[in-house]
Amino acid sequence: MEGPAMGNPATRHTEPDCLFCKIVAGEIPSTVVHEDAASFAFRDLEPQAPTHVLVIPRHHVPNVAALADEAPEDAAALLRAVAAVAAQEGIADSGYRTVFNTGADAQQTVFHAHIHVLGGRSMTWPPG
């Protein structure tokens, strides 16, 4: 979704020490898969499936709950970006898994909201 920046400008910021903020800013290289006004998607460096893409908001927010609270329109834009990535990667029809890890107990290691988009193989259940 192209267009003006989304979300409340007062809450849109970056964190200078955040890995994902640095990736969005181009300070750290990444393999970009998709980008729009609200989101940025790039390949995971340690893929857990043939397709493993991270979709993140362009601004810093620590997790999906905070994103939904601070900028619900950005949360919706993130989900649209997930659909666009799945279609672009050719996994939309066969199926894909989306994962939000929220908090240390869920193995969130970068505290910038992000969605893992995994596909290209059959997924097992339960996931872990």
Side-chain angles (χ1 to χ4, degrees):
M1 177 175 167
E2 298 297 328
M6 301 174 94
N8 180 345
T11 62
R12 296 179 68 78
H13 68 281
T14 60
E15 291 291 330
D17 295 329
C18 173
L19 174 67
F20 289 174
C21 288
K22 289 178 181 180
I23 289 172
V24 170
E27 297 171 19
I28 295 176
S30 65
T31 303
V32 179
V33 172
H34 173 86
E35 58 183 310
D36 58 35
S39 67
F40 191 86
F42 56 97
R43 297 206 186 281
D44 194 295
L45 289 177
E46 296 180 15
Q48 302 300 305
T51 297
H52 189 168
V53 174
L54 299 176
V55 182
I56 68 173
R58 286 187 169 276
H59 68 284
H60 186 84
V61 61
N63 58 52
V64 67
L67 179 65
D69 186 45
E70 292 176 19
E73 60 280 4
D74 284 357
L78 219 57
L79 295 176
R80 285 190 296 273
V82 165
V85 165
Q88 178 183 317
E89 295 293 306
I91 58 174
D93 291 336
S94 60
Y96 57 96
R97 178 167 288 160
T98 55
V99 178
F100 281 107
N101 294 323
T102 303
D105 283 352
Q107 302 302 309
Q108 183 179 5
T109 56
V110 178
F111 290 87
H112 181 124
H114 57 285
I115 305 173
H116 295 260
V117 180
L118 301 141
R121 67 170 170 82
S122 182
M123 300 289 160
T124 59
W125 193 261

